[in-house]
Amino acid sequence: MSRFSFYLVYFHLFGVLSLYEDQVGKFDWRKQYVGQVRKLYWETERSATGGKRLYVCTDRSVIAAINTSDGDLAWRKVFEEGRRGDVDDLVYTGTSLLSVLAGTRLQAWNPAAGSLVWETAMEGDITHVGKVGYIAEPSGPGIAVGLSSTHLYGANMRDGSVLWNVELPNSDVVKYDILQVVDSVMYVIGRTSGTEVKVISVDKEGATVSSRSVLAGFLRRDTRCSVVEQMYLMCVCPASESLQVLSLQHGSVFTATSIQDLGVREGPVKVLESTPAGTVLLAPGRSVVLVSVAANNKVTVKKHLPKALVATAVQLEDKWYLMYLQASSNEELKVGGIELETGSTLSELSHTFHYPRHSGQPELMSVILARKKDGKLGYRMAVLSQDFSLQLIHKTGKVAWRREESLAYTYAVELLDLPVSENQAKFEEEFGSHADNVVTMFMKRVKTQVSQLQTFLLEHLHRLQGVKQTSGVIAEEEEEDEEDLLRDEFSLHKMMVMITEPGKIIGMRSQNGHIVWQHLVPDLAPFDTLGSKRFLLFVQRTTAHFPHQPQCVVLGKNRVSGRGQLFAFNPITGEPVSGMPGEGEHLPYSVRQAFLLGVWDEHFMKPLVMMDHSNMVQVYPASMLGFLRDQTPHVYMYQADTDNSMLYGYRLATSGATVTVDNVWTVNLQNQRLNMKITNIVGKPANEHVHSQGRVLGDRTVLYKYLNPNVVVVTTEGEEPATQQLKAYPIFNVYMIDVVTGHMLFHGHHRKAVGPIHVVHSENWVVYAYYNQKQLRHEMAALELYEGKEQSNMTAFSSLTAPTEPLVLRQAYVFPLPIFTMATSITEKGITSKDILIALKNGGIFSLPKAFMDPRRPLVPTQETQEEGTVPYIPELPVHTEGIINYYQTLSHIRGLHTSPTGLESTSLVLAYGLDLFQTQVQPSKMFDVLKEDFEHWLIASVVLAMLVASFITQKLAARKALSRQWM
Amino acid sequence: MSFTWIVIILVQILGVWTETDEPNGTDLFTIEGKVEVVSTTNKDWLPDTQISVDGGTFISYLRGDGRFVISGVPSGTYMVEVVNPNYMFEPVRVDISAKGKKRARKINLMELSPIKTVHYPLEFRERRKPNYFQKREQWKITDFLFNPMFLTMVLPLVLVMILPKMMNAADPEAQKEMQSQMKALNDRSSMPDFSETLTSWLGGGSNKKNRKDKTK
């Protein structure tokens, strides 16, 4: 009990970090995404919400409804990460949404509210891609039909009860992946690679009507088959460049049509969509063909659009129209519409609209047509693009909204200070130069101040003019963007640079999440290391070096060749640096290791050093090779072979004109018996400052921190094989290695514990989280390294003359909740205490003061430990909802947390990315450097004023009293 | 003797349940339950509520009646949570044996041994609303008045200023005594001067008048 009260006292001492309710949305924002859209349906007009929504399923395990008016999410359902949550298929029946997840979970959703109506399990293999269809019954509720790897299920659409199921023959060899419902007959199509196609038809009572096997020797792995015009199976054979067609009802043999016969260029053809009016094919060289199957199963061309990028066939009032997009001019696309029956072009459907270059190619379009009051046709069109964006275009050719879904695939983030204004920069220049004499410096000062006055006046003049011009709608929209990209007082507003999966680079304002610039590098693909995708993003030159422009460089691999792909750009404007092509630089080598050198040249540029597959050292920009050569004897690097759990340390060496590496050390973390694999390699943040060199103990001595910047934490995971007495159990190791010398500072071993291990490494401490399989709980462990009571080197740390073995303190705690990832807050000078930010799997981001994960927490508190200010040890770490910094704005599938210092020592910016984006500020030691926003100016002013008045009045009164006393 | 028997039985029970920790076989089972929010009749919480097993390894949503079924679960031990940003629920651990026997128990992170079973199919009821925010300190007059510093200042003031007056009003004798004391003080403090004599004379005059009135 006494310990508990202690605990409470300390808890208050370290401050409950939490928001006030009126601060909601003041310095935080959340943006929700859905991911790359796979299937898209327009809501029917007669439904409850009146045709104002798009229903989508995406490859990020999401089913969502998007409002067509503004692009916001009406509702969103997020499923499990990994195979179990994959949405294989989605069908909209007009009153209900049917989905199949992971090939085995058949679900029905209420489209208006987004609530689950029912879920039914299907037997089958989880890796098999399931399909769903439905049979509408005018009288009854209808039947939902689900196809798993082994069975075809029919379920009552109202409650999900299984009406019948059909076991499919030879499901171990035949892959059943197509389901087609035509007039209450279901066709299930399976195939066996290289031999035959199986067509099974089932009626709505669940009885097998017919089962046929058709020889199909052309089937390969890359053969794409789909049902076209509801009654033919069309397979596209890239090898023979032909289309194979089979009639579903009674066909017994495939009929081939050569692609050349369609009058298009040779190459792979892709089926975009199929409707009763025909099938839209995307032919090589970006031309679109509408084909239909003739009576003899031959494919014939109905319409050829040689310039179109994508097209779709739409029905309105029994007439079919073909809508297409084609490139019009720079950054513009043209919409066109053709009535299929007559072949006439409809002028009311033809518009041009703005289509930015960074969207890449349009990949799919979906159109809904409507008859306007004046009898003309109107349309709404959704376009999916290469950069995963989804945009909606209105009847007049206006872009209503765009959703940048690539942001759900952010793999690298960097926050940069905005540049100072030109005047400010000139001021700073004054302090930089020492060559000038007093007179010129004085002149300079006068000049800058005159120009400052000038800009001030101009600004006001512009503002006055701006008031007059606020008539245009566009001005209103872009009002926010007109705000200059200049640093604010405390540098709280930053430029957020994000690199996403499709190679799209986005620059965003950190204060509100508005996109400033975008650039698409289509060939840039992420590396796949340690089980996660990542880009390497480096800041070569920050904004602090006016007039030099800031520069960032992103390194990934080429989508096609797998070699390096590099792109250097100005992070404030998003423009490529001079000499850099817009599509990036395709490197002639694959990159094994890359890092930014810690020193800059006379232009304040830090070179990017890369090691290629032949252990040669490459530099970007290449002109800095000479600079690197001067540094070579002092530059060390390391490389990990994750599969064989080997670490190699290198020193850079010059040989002739080139730079190579010498192997200095090798560490083998492998244990053949246990099959250990490296799962984490975590260094310290490069931009970190440590303010305090040690900590003062209760007896007034100082324990010095072991502040070696070259320490890297490596974790390896494996399994102890089963013996006669014991079952196999998982184990993992934690190592701390000085990567300059290869010296191992610490080795920890955990039995019956599994990952994923999340490691935070900062200053002189490491915190890692894992799952204890024996005790069935999540745990966290903290390590702290100290030199001891003497400090070996006061000025700078060198691994080569490192002190003897550091003192490693450790302690473990129970953490009650499962977590996604962890990070630590970072501040400008490192004076502020640290918070551990923990992304919880229930969608919260929890901030826990580091003091709770201090290995010096005593089991029994004494006078001395109280003096030191440590919290008594309690196994369980406190999780309280006040510490959840995103309060009720829960986040899904958080992949990373990025923290960044600001100009205020107390404040650190936090960005959580994953399916959603969330940005906020944390103040681990509360806001000690500026007045709180709830500082009561009025109260204090009124109290002071009241005091003045009171003293004045009492003075008068006292004088009167003294007088009257005199009269007594 | 009975003690050893208990130990043996305990070992057997534990043995049975530790077996279930390892998933063996390919049989898949379901976890079923129901979620209730009794503090509101509004059903808005339903679509936002997620059932999350082992932090998202298995996820399910609620049907219109608050029920849920998670299918395709292999045997093992799982933590079942109800996730809703506006209500808090207590998580439960569910054990599924290799034969499909299910048991639900309270989560005790510190020790596994004393097992407190709860009802299966699971029943979740909201515990409380989470508090994400700090209360903003507002300036109130009562805070000021009941501040100990204020009280320590005011109490002596009361004692010094008001108490004598109250005494004065209460007791005319005491008043007189006080007045005489005051007079004596005044006399001692200052020499009788013109104004002093004038006032005493004026005061004396009025007294005389009063006396005259009384005699009438």
Side-chain angles (χ1 to χ4, degrees), chain A residues 18-20 22 24 77-78 80 84 105 116 774 776-777 841 881-882 933-934 939 967-968, chain B residues 47 50 55-59 61 71 83 93 109-110 112 131 133-134 136 139 196 199:
Chain A
S18 108
L19 282 171
Y20 298 116
D22 50 66
V24 165
K77 299 286 144 191
V78 186
E80 294 93 334
R84 203 185 137 83
R105 301 164 70 188
L116 181 71
K774 197 179 171 193
L776 303 172
R777 64 193 182 196
K841 284 210 169 167
T881 50
E882 285 94 338
E933 48 157 17
D934 61 346
L939 182 77
W967 281 97
M968 279 232 297
Chain B
Q50 217 182 42
T57 321
F58 302 93
I59 286 176
Y61 289 90
S71 53
V83 181
R93 204 187 289 289
L109 292 171
M110 290 304 121
L112 291 172
N131 176 31
F133 303 108
Q134 240 178 313
R136 196 181 272 287
W139 192 83
E196 194 89 346
T199 41

CSV table of all heavy atoms in Angstrom, one decimal, chain A residues 18-20 22 24 77-78 80 84 105 116 774 776-777 841 881-882 933-934 939 967-968, chain B residues 47 50 55-59 61 71 83 93 109-110 112 131 133-134 136 139 196 199:
chain,number,residue,atom,x,y,z
A,18,SER,N,-1.1,15.3,-20.8
A,18,SER,CA,-2.3,15.1,-21.5
A,18,SER,C,-2.9,16.5,-21.9
A,18,SER,O,-2.4,17.5,-21.5
A,18,SER,CB,-3.3,14.3,-20.7
A,18,SER,OG,-4.3,15.1,-20.2
A,19,LEU,N,-3.8,16.4,-22.8
A,19,LEU,CA,-4.4,17.6,-23.4
A,19,LEU,C,-5.5,18.1,-22.6
A,19,LEU,O,-6.1,17.4,-21.8
A,19,LEU,CB,-5.0,17.2,-24.8
A,19,LEU,CG,-4.1,17.0,-25.9
A,19,LEU,CD1,-4.8,16.4,-27.1
A,19,LEU,CD2,-3.5,18.3,-26.4
A,20,TYR,N,-5.9,19.3,-22.9
A,20,TYR,CA,-7.1,19.9,-22.4
A,20,TYR,C,-8.1,19.7,-23.5
A,20,TYR,O,-7.8,19.6,-24.7
A,20,TYR,CB,-7.0,21.4,-22.1
A,20,TYR,CG,-6.0,21.7,-21.0
A,20,TYR,CD1,-4.9,22.4,-21.3
A,20,TYR,CD2,-6.2,21.2,-19.7
A,20,TYR,CE1,-4.0,22.7,-20.3
A,20,TYR,CE2,-5.3,21.5,-18.7
A,20,TYR,CZ,-4.2,22.2,-19.0
A,20,TYR,OH,-3.3,22.5,-18.0
A,22,ASP,N,-10.3,21.5,-24.8
A,22,ASP,CA,-10.5,22.5,-25.9
A,22,ASP,C,-9.3,22.6,-26.8
A,22,ASP,O,-9.3,23.4,-27.7
A,22,ASP,CB,-10.7,23.9,-25.2
A,22,ASP,CG,-9.7,24.2,-24.1
A,22,ASP,OD1,-8.5,24.4,-24.5
A,22,ASP,OD2,-10.1,24.2,-22.9
A,24,VAL,N,-8.3,20.1,-28.6
A,24,VAL,CA,-8.5,19.1,-29.7
A,24,VAL,C,-8.4,19.8,-31.1
A,24,VAL,O,-9.0,20.8,-31.3
A,24,VAL,CB,-9.9,18.5,-29.5
A,24,VAL,CG1,-10.3,17.7,-30.8
A,24,VAL,CG2,-9.9,17.6,-28.3
A,77,LYS,N,-14.0,0.2,-42.7
A,77,LYS,CA,-13.8,-1.0,-41.9
A,77,LYS,C,-12.4,-1.5,-42.2
A,77,LYS,O,-12.0,-1.7,-43.4
A,77,LYS,CB,-14.8,-2.1,-42.2
A,77,LYS,CG,-16.2,-1.8,-42.0
A,77,LYS,CD,-16.5,-1.8,-40.5
A,77,LYS,CE,-17.5,-0.7,-40.2
A,77,LYS,NZ,-17.7,-0.4,-38.9
A,78,VAL,N,-11.6,-1.7,-41.2
A,78,VAL,CA,-10.2,-2.1,-41.4
A,78,VAL,C,-10.1,-3.5,-40.8
A,78,VAL,O,-10.5,-3.8,-39.7
A,78,VAL,CB,-9.2,-1.2,-40.7
A,78,VAL,CG1,-7.8,-1.5,-41.0
A,78,VAL,CG2,-9.5,0.3,-41.1
A,80,GLU,N,-7.6,-7.3,-40.5
A,80,GLU,CA,-6.3,-7.8,-40.0
A,80,GLU,C,-5.2,-7.4,-41.1
A,80,GLU,O,-5.5,-7.5,-42.3
A,80,GLU,CB,-6.3,-9.3,-39.8
A,80,GLU,CG,-7.2,-9.8,-38.7
A,80,GLU,CD,-8.6,-10.1,-39.1
A,80,GLU,OE1,-9.0,-9.6,-40.2
A,80,GLU,OE2,-9.2,-11.0,-38.5
A,84,ARG,N,-5.1,-12.8,-43.6
A,84,ARG,CA,-6.5,-13.0,-43.0
A,84,ARG,C,-7.4,-11.8,-43.2
A,84,ARG,O,-8.6,-11.9,-43.2
A,84,ARG,CB,-6.4,-13.3,-41.5
A,84,ARG,CG,-7.6,-14.0,-41.0
A,84,ARG,CD,-7.5,-14.2,-39.5
A,84,ARG,NE,-8.8,-13.9,-38.9
A,84,ARG,CZ,-9.8,-14.8,-38.9
A,84,ARG,NH1,-9.7,-16.0,-39.3
A,84,ARG,NH2,-11.0,-14.4,-38.4
A,105,ARG,N,-13.9,-16.1,-45.5
A,105,ARG,CA,-14.9,-15.3,-44.7
A,105,ARG,C,-15.9,-14.6,-45.6
A,105,ARG,O,-15.5,-13.7,-46.3
A,105,ARG,CB,-14.2,-14.3,-43.8
A,105,ARG,CG,-13.2,-15.0,-42.9
A,105,ARG,CD,-12.2,-14.0,-42.3
A,105,ARG,NE,-12.8,-13.1,-41.3
A,105,ARG,CZ,-12.2,-12.0,-40.8
A,105,ARG,NH1,-11.0,-11.7,-41.2
A,105,ARG,NH2,-12.8,-11.2,-40.0
A,116,LEU,N,-21.9,-4.6,-39.8
A,116,LEU,CA,-21.9,-5.9,-40.2
A,116,LEU,C,-23.3,-6.5,-40.1
A,116,LEU,O,-23.9,-6.4,-39.0
A,116,LEU,CB,-20.9,-6.7,-39.4
A,116,LEU,CG,-20.7,-8.2,-39.7
A,116,LEU,CD1,-20.0,-8.4,-41.0
A,116,LEU,CD2,-19.9,-8.9,-38.6
A,774,LYS,N,5.9,-17.6,-22.2
A,774,LYS,CA,5.6,-18.4,-21.0
A,774,LYS,C,4.6,-17.7,-20.1
A,774,LYS,O,3.7,-18.4,-19.6
A,774,LYS,CB,7.0,-18.5,-20.2
A,774,LYS,CG,7.0,-19.6,-19.2
A,774,LYS,CD,8.3,-19.7,-18.6
A,774,LYS,CE,8.3,-20.7,-17.4
A,774,LYS,NZ,9.4,-20.5,-16.6
A,776,LEU,N,2.6,-15.3,-21.1
A,776,LEU,CA,1.5,-14.8,-22.0
A,776,LEU,C,1.3,-13.3,-21.8
A,776,LEU,O,0.2,-12.8,-21.5
A,776,LEU,CB,0.2,-15.5,-21.7
A,776,LEU,CG,0.2,-17.0,-21.8
A,776,LEU,CD1,-1.1,-17.6,-21.3
A,776,LEU,CD2,0.4,-17.4,-23.3
A,777,ARG,N,2.3,-12.5,-21.9
A,777,ARG,CA,2.2,-11.1,-21.7
A,777,ARG,C,3.3,-10.4,-22.5
A,777,ARG,O,4.3,-10.9,-22.8
A,777,ARG,CB,2.3,-10.7,-20.3
A,777,ARG,CG,3.6,-11.0,-19.6
A,777,ARG,CD,3.5,-10.9,-18.2
A,777,ARG,NE,4.8,-11.1,-17.6
A,777,ARG,CZ,5.0,-11.4,-16.3
A,777,ARG,NH1,4.0,-11.5,-15.5
A,777,ARG,NH2,6.2,-11.6,-15.8
A,841,LYS,N,-1.8,-1.3,-30.4
A,841,LYS,CA,-2.6,-1.9,-31.5
A,841,LYS,C,-4.1,-1.6,-31.4
A,841,LYS,O,-4.9,-1.8,-32.3
A,841,LYS,CB,-2.4,-3.4,-31.4
A,841,LYS,CG,-1.1,-3.8,-32.0
A,841,LYS,CD,-1.1,-5.2,-32.6
A,841,LYS,CE,0.2,-5.4,-33.4
A,841,LYS,NZ,0.4,-6.8,-33.7
A,881,THR,N,-5.5,6.4,-19.8
A,881,THR,CA,-6.0,7.0,-21.1
A,881,THR,C,-5.6,8.5,-21.2
A,881,THR,O,-5.6,9.0,-22.3
A,881,THR,CB,-7.5,6.9,-21.2
A,881,THR,OG1,-8.1,7.4,-19.9
A,881,THR,CG2,-8.0,5.5,-21.4
A,882,GLU,N,-5.2,9.1,-20.1
A,882,GLU,CA,-4.8,10.5,-20.2
A,882,GLU,C,-3.5,10.6,-21.0
A,882,GLU,O,-3.1,11.7,-21.6
A,882,GLU,CB,-4.6,11.2,-18.9
A,882,GLU,CG,-5.8,11.5,-18.1
A,882,GLU,CD,-6.3,10.4,-17.2
A,882,GLU,OE1,-5.9,9.3,-17.4
A,882,GLU,OE2,-7.0,10.7,-16.3
A,933,GLU,N,-0.7,28.6,-22.8
A,933,GLU,CA,-1.7,29.3,-23.5
A,933,GLU,C,-2.9,29.7,-22.6
A,933,GLU,O,-3.6,30.6,-22.9
A,933,GLU,CB,-2.2,28.5,-24.7
A,933,GLU,CG,-2.6,27.1,-24.3
A,933,GLU,CD,-3.5,26.4,-25.3
A,933,GLU,OE1,-3.7,26.9,-26.4
A,933,GLU,OE2,-4.1,25.4,-24.9
A,934,ASP,N,-3.1,29.0,-21.5
A,934,ASP,CA,-4.1,29.4,-20.6
A,934,ASP,C,-3.6,30.3,-19.5
A,934,ASP,O,-4.3,30.5,-18.5
A,934,ASP,CB,-4.8,28.1,-20.0
A,934,ASP,CG,-3.9,27.3,-19.2
A,934,ASP,OD1,-2.7,27.5,-19.3
A,934,ASP,OD2,-4.3,26.4,-18.5
A,939,LEU,N,-6.6,38.2,-15.7
A,939,LEU,CA,-6.7,38.1,-14.2
A,939,LEU,C,-5.6,38.8,-13.6
A,939,LEU,O,-5.8,39.6,-12.7
A,939,LEU,CB,-6.7,36.6,-13.8
A,939,LEU,CG,-6.9,36.4,-12.3
A,939,LEU,CD1,-8.3,36.6,-11.9
A,939,LEU,CD2,-6.4,35.0,-11.9
A,967,TRP,N,-8.5,65.9,14.5
A,967,TRP,CA,-9.6,66.7,15.0
A,967,TRP,C,-10.2,66.2,16.3
A,967,TRP,O,-11.0,66.9,16.9
A,967,TRP,CB,-10.7,66.8,13.9
A,967,TRP,CG,-10.3,67.8,12.8
A,967,TRP,CD1,-9.8,67.6,11.7
A,967,TRP,CD2,-10.6,69.2,12.9
A,967,TRP,NE1,-9.6,68.7,10.9
A,967,TRP,CE2,-10.1,69.7,11.7
A,967,TRP,CE3,-11.1,70.1,13.8
A,967,TRP,CZ2,-10.1,71.1,11.4
A,967,TRP,CZ3,-11.1,71.5,13.5
A,967,TRP,CH2,-10.6,71.9,12.3
A,968,MET,N,-10.0,65.0,16.7
A,968,MET,CA,-10.6,64.4,17.8
A,968,MET,C,-10.2,65.2,19.1
A,968,MET,O,-9.1,65.6,19.3
A,968,MET,CB,-10.2,63.0,18.0
A,968,MET,CG,-11.1,62.2,17.1
A,968,MET,SD,-12.0,60.8,17.7
A,968,MET,CE,-10.8,59.7,18.3
B,47,PRO,N,-21.2,0.3,-34.9
B,47,PRO,CA,-20.3,0.1,-36.1
B,47,PRO,C,-18.8,0.5,-35.7
B,47,PRO,O,-17.9,0.0,-36.4
B,47,PRO,CB,-20.9,1.1,-37.1
B,47,PRO,CG,-22.2,1.5,-36.6
B,47,PRO,CD,-22.2,1.3,-35.2
B,50,GLN,N,-14.8,-2.8,-32.4
B,50,GLN,CA,-14.1,-3.9,-33.1
B,50,GLN,C,-13.7,-4.9,-32.0
B,50,GLN,O,-13.4,-4.5,-30.9
B,50,GLN,CB,-12.8,-3.2,-33.6
B,50,GLN,CG,-12.3,-3.8,-34.9
B,50,GLN,CD,-11.0,-3.1,-35.2
B,50,GLN,OE1,-10.1,-2.9,-34.4
B,50,GLN,NE2,-10.9,-2.8,-36.5
B,55,GLY,N,-4.4,-8.4,-30.1
B,55,GLY,CA,-4.0,-7.2,-30.7
B,55,GLY,C,-4.1,-7.1,-32.2
B,55,GLY,O,-3.3,-6.6,-32.9
B,56,GLY,N,-5.1,-7.8,-32.8
B,56,GLY,CA,-5.4,-7.6,-34.2
B,56,GLY,C,-5.0,-8.8,-35.1
B,56,GLY,O,-5.0,-8.7,-36.3
B,57,THR,N,-4.6,-9.9,-34.5
B,57,THR,CA,-4.4,-11.1,-35.3
B,57,THR,C,-5.7,-11.6,-35.9
B,57,THR,O,-5.7,-12.1,-37.0
B,57,THR,CB,-3.8,-12.2,-34.4
B,57,THR,OG1,-2.8,-11.7,-33.5
B,57,THR,CG2,-3.1,-13.3,-35.2
B,58,PHE,N,-6.7,-11.5,-35.1
B,58,PHE,CA,-8.1,-11.7,-35.6
B,58,PHE,C,-8.9,-10.5,-35.2
B,58,PHE,O,-8.8,-10.0,-34.1
B,58,PHE,CB,-8.7,-13.0,-34.9
B,58,PHE,CG,-7.9,-14.2,-35.1
B,58,PHE,CD1,-6.9,-14.6,-34.1
B,58,PHE,CD2,-8.1,-15.0,-36.2
B,58,PHE,CE1,-6.2,-15.7,-34.3
B,58,PHE,CE2,-7.3,-16.2,-36.4
B,58,PHE,CZ,-6.4,-16.5,-35.4
B,59,ILE,N,-9.7,-10.1,-36.2
B,59,ILE,CA,-10.5,-8.9,-36.0
B,59,ILE,C,-11.9,-9.2,-36.4
B,59,ILE,O,-12.2,-9.9,-37.4
B,59,ILE,CB,-10.0,-7.7,-36.8
B,59,ILE,CG1,-8.8,-7.1,-36.1
B,59,ILE,CG2,-11.1,-6.6,-36.9
B,59,ILE,CD1,-8.1,-6.0,-36.9
B,61,TYR,N,-16.2,-7.5,-36.4
B,61,TYR,CA,-17.1,-6.4,-36.1
B,61,TYR,C,-18.4,-7.0,-35.5
B,61,TYR,O,-18.6,-8.2,-35.6
B,61,TYR,CB,-17.3,-5.6,-37.3
B,61,TYR,CG,-16.1,-4.8,-37.7
B,61,TYR,CD1,-15.2,-5.3,-38.6
B,61,TYR,CD2,-15.9,-3.5,-37.2
B,61,TYR,CE1,-14.0,-4.6,-38.9
B,61,TYR,CE2,-14.8,-2.8,-37.5
B,61,TYR,CZ,-13.9,-3.3,-38.4
B,61,TYR,OH,-12.8,-2.6,-38.7
B,71,SER,N,-14.3,-16.7,-36.5
B,71,SER,CA,-14.1,-18.0,-37.0
B,71,SER,C,-12.6,-18.2,-37.4
B,71,SER,O,-11.9,-17.3,-37.6
B,71,SER,CB,-15.1,-18.3,-38.1
B,71,SER,OG,-14.9,-17.3,-39.1
B,83,VAL,N,-12.5,-3.0,-28.7
B,83,VAL,CA,-11.9,-1.7,-28.9
B,83,VAL,C,-12.9,-0.7,-29.4
B,83,VAL,O,-13.6,-0.9,-30.4
B,83,VAL,CB,-10.8,-1.8,-30.0
B,83,VAL,CG1,-10.1,-0.5,-30.2
B,83,VAL,CG2,-9.8,-2.9,-29.6
B,93,ARG,N,-9.1,-13.4,-21.3
B,93,ARG,CA,-8.3,-14.4,-22.0
B,93,ARG,C,-9.2,-15.7,-22.3
B,93,ARG,O,-9.9,-16.1,-21.4
B,93,ARG,CB,-7.1,-14.8,-21.1
B,93,ARG,CG,-6.0,-15.4,-21.9
B,93,ARG,CD,-4.9,-15.9,-21.0
B,93,ARG,NE,-4.1,-14.9,-20.3
B,93,ARG,CZ,-3.3,-14.0,-20.8
B,93,ARG,NH1,-3.1,-14.0,-22.1
B,93,ARG,NH2,-2.6,-13.2,-20.0
B,109,LEU,N,-1.9,-10.4,-15.4
B,109,LEU,CA,-0.6,-10.4,-16.0
B,109,LEU,C,0.5,-10.8,-15.1
B,109,LEU,O,1.6,-11.2,-15.6
B,109,LEU,CB,-0.3,-9.0,-16.6
B,109,LEU,CG,-1.2,-8.5,-17.7
B,109,LEU,CD1,-1.0,-7.0,-18.0
B,109,LEU,CD2,-0.9,-9.3,-18.9
B,110,MET,N,0.3,-10.7,-13.8
B,110,MET,CA,1.4,-11.0,-12.9
B,110,MET,C,1.6,-12.5,-12.7
B,110,MET,O,2.7,-13.0,-12.7
B,110,MET,CB,1.1,-10.4,-11.5
B,110,MET,CG,1.3,-8.9,-11.6
B,110,MET,SD,2.9,-8.3,-12.1
B,110,MET,CE,2.4,-7.4,-13.5
B,112,LEU,N,-0.1,-16.6,-13.5
B,112,LEU,CA,-1.1,-17.3,-14.3
B,112,LEU,C,-1.9,-18.3,-13.5
B,112,LEU,O,-3.0,-18.7,-13.9
B,112,LEU,CB,-0.3,-18.1,-15.4
B,112,LEU,CG,0.3,-17.3,-16.5
B,112,LEU,CD1,1.2,-18.2,-17.4
B,112,LEU,CD2,-0.7,-16.6,-17.4
B,131,ASN,N,-11.1,8.7,-20.1
B,131,ASN,CA,-10.9,10.2,-19.9
B,131,ASN,C,-9.6,10.5,-20.6
B,131,ASN,O,-8.5,10.1,-20.1
B,131,ASN,CB,-10.8,10.5,-18.4
B,131,ASN,CG,-10.5,12.0,-18.2
B,131,ASN,OD1,-10.8,12.8,-19.1
B,131,ASN,ND2,-9.8,12.3,-17.2
B,133,PHE,N,-8.7,13.6,-21.4
B,133,PHE,CA,-8.3,15.0,-21.2
B,133,PHE,C,-8.1,15.4,-19.8
B,133,PHE,O,-8.7,14.9,-18.9
B,133,PHE,CB,-9.3,15.9,-21.9
B,133,PHE,CG,-9.6,15.6,-23.3
B,133,PHE,CD1,-10.7,15.0,-23.7
B,133,PHE,CD2,-8.6,16.0,-24.2
B,133,PHE,CE1,-10.9,14.7,-25.0
B,133,PHE,CE2,-8.8,15.7,-25.6
B,133,PHE,CZ,-10.0,15.1,-26.0
B,134,GLN,N,-7.2,16.4,-19.6
B,134,GLN,CA,-7.0,17.0,-18.3
B,134,GLN,C,-8.1,18.0,-18.1
B,134,GLN,O,-8.5,18.7,-19.1
B,134,GLN,CB,-5.7,17.7,-18.4
B,134,GLN,CG,-4.7,17.2,-17.4
B,134,GLN,CD,-3.4,18.0,-17.6
B,134,GLN,OE1,-2.9,18.1,-18.7
B,134,GLN,NE2,-2.8,18.4,-16.5
B,136,ARG,N,-9.1,21.6,-17.3
B,136,ARG,CA,-8.4,22.9,-17.3
B,136,ARG,C,-8.7,23.6,-15.9
B,136,ARG,O,-9.9,23.6,-15.5
B,136,ARG,CB,-8.9,23.7,-18.4
B,136,ARG,CG,-8.0,24.9,-18.7
B,136,ARG,CD,-8.5,25.7,-19.9
B,136,ARG,NE,-8.1,25.2,-21.1
B,136,ARG,CZ,-6.8,25.4,-21.6
B,136,ARG,NH1,-5.9,25.9,-20.9
B,136,ARG,NH2,-6.5,24.9,-22.8
B,139,TRP,N,-10.3,29.8,-13.0
B,139,TRP,CA,-10.2,30.6,-11.8
B,139,TRP,C,-11.6,30.8,-11.2
B,139,TRP,O,-12.5,31.3,-11.9
B,139,TRP,CB,-9.6,32.0,-12.2
B,139,TRP,CG,-9.2,32.8,-11.0
B,139,TRP,CD1,-8.1,32.6,-10.3
B,139,TRP,CD2,-10.0,33.7,-10.4
B,139,TRP,NE1,-8.2,33.5,-9.2
B,139,TRP,CE2,-9.3,34.2,-9.2
B,139,TRP,CE3,-11.3,34.3,-10.6
B,139,TRP,CZ2,-9.8,35.2,-8.4
B,139,TRP,CZ3,-11.8,35.3,-9.8
B,139,TRP,CH2,-11.0,35.7,-8.7
B,196,GLU,N,-7.8,70.1,19.9
B,196,GLU,CA,-8.2,69.2,20.9
B,196,GLU,C,-9.2,69.8,21.9
B,196,GLU,O,-10.3,69.3,22.1
B,196,GLU,CB,-7.0,68.7,21.7
B,196,GLU,CG,-7.3,67.4,22.5
B,196,GLU,CD,-7.0,66.2,21.7
B,196,GLU,OE1,-6.9,66.2,20.4
B,196,GLU,OE2,-7.0,65.1,22.3
B,199,THR,N,-12.5,70.5,20.2
B,199,THR,CA,-13.5,69.4,20.1
B,199,THR,C,-14.0,69.0,21.4
B,199,THR,O,-15.2,68.7,21.5
B,199,THR,CB,-12.7,68.1,19.5
B,199,THR,OG1,-11.4,68.1,20.1
B,199,THR,CG2,-12.6,68.2,18.0
